[in-house]
Amino acid sequence: QVQLVESGGGLVQAGGSLRLSCACSGRIFSIGTMGWYRQAPGKQRELVATITSGGSTNYADSVKGRFTISRDNGKNTMYLQMNSLKPEDTAVYYCNAHVLVVGSYLATDYWGQGTQVTVSS
């Protein structure tokens, strides 16, 4: 009923920048908190940043000052601007959205398929 599609990943040198996008589509009534998560090989998935429908943001300490999360509610799209990238930022990045589907009474979490970000040293 709801699809989340990430884009913008790729290979970049340390110190470089990338901008990830997450487009939501489907039978969407409203979207609450959205977030970016990442999972490096052999590690658990971890929170990168979240943003509420009102624009309040929260960041993992490891990305504060380097990453910026934003969203366009009119386009049901979320972004992650990543600057000063480090090799330890290498991971698959997933978007998450808390979505109330048309005709439903409870919001549900949906996930994208992930996009690879690789930072070379």
Side-chain angles (χ1 to χ4, degrees):
Q1 288 183 313
V2 175
Q3 297 79 41
L4 274 60
V5 178
E6 300 107 332
S7 60
L11 173 63
V12 64
Q13 288 188 331
S17 299
L18 283 174
R19 189 191 193 210
L20 305 183
S21 298
C22 173
C24 306
S25 62
R27 291 172 51 80
I28 298 170
F29 181 79
S30 64
I31 303 177
T33 298
M34 304 178 75
W36 288 98
Y37 294 75
R38 66 186 182 187
Q39 187 167 18
K43 295 187 177 182
Q44 290 188 332
R45 189 172 298 188
E46 64 176 2
L47 171 71
V48 175
T50 61
I51 184 167
T52 68
S53 57
S56 297
T57 60
N58 178 58
Y59 295 92
D61 288 342
S62 59
V63 306
K64 281 181 181 176
R66 300 187 298 122
F67 290 11
T68 302
I69 189 171
S70 61
R71 63 190 284 175
D72 183 333
N73 291 330
K75 295 181 179 180
N76 289 339
T77 300
M78 174 179 62
Y79 307 95
L80 185 68
Q81 178 65 44
M82 306 185 292
N83 298 329
S84 302
L85 283 161
K86 304 175 181 179
E88 50 264 43
D89 294 319
T90 296
V92 178
Y93 284 70
Y94 298 91
C95 68
N96 169 273
H98 200 61
V99 180
L100 182 61
V101 173
V102 172
S104 296
Y105 294 96
L106 294 175
T108 304
D109 276 339
Y110 289 87
W111 292 88
Q113 80 288 351
T115 186
Q116 177 70 47
V117 171
T118 303
V119 184
S120 63
S121 57

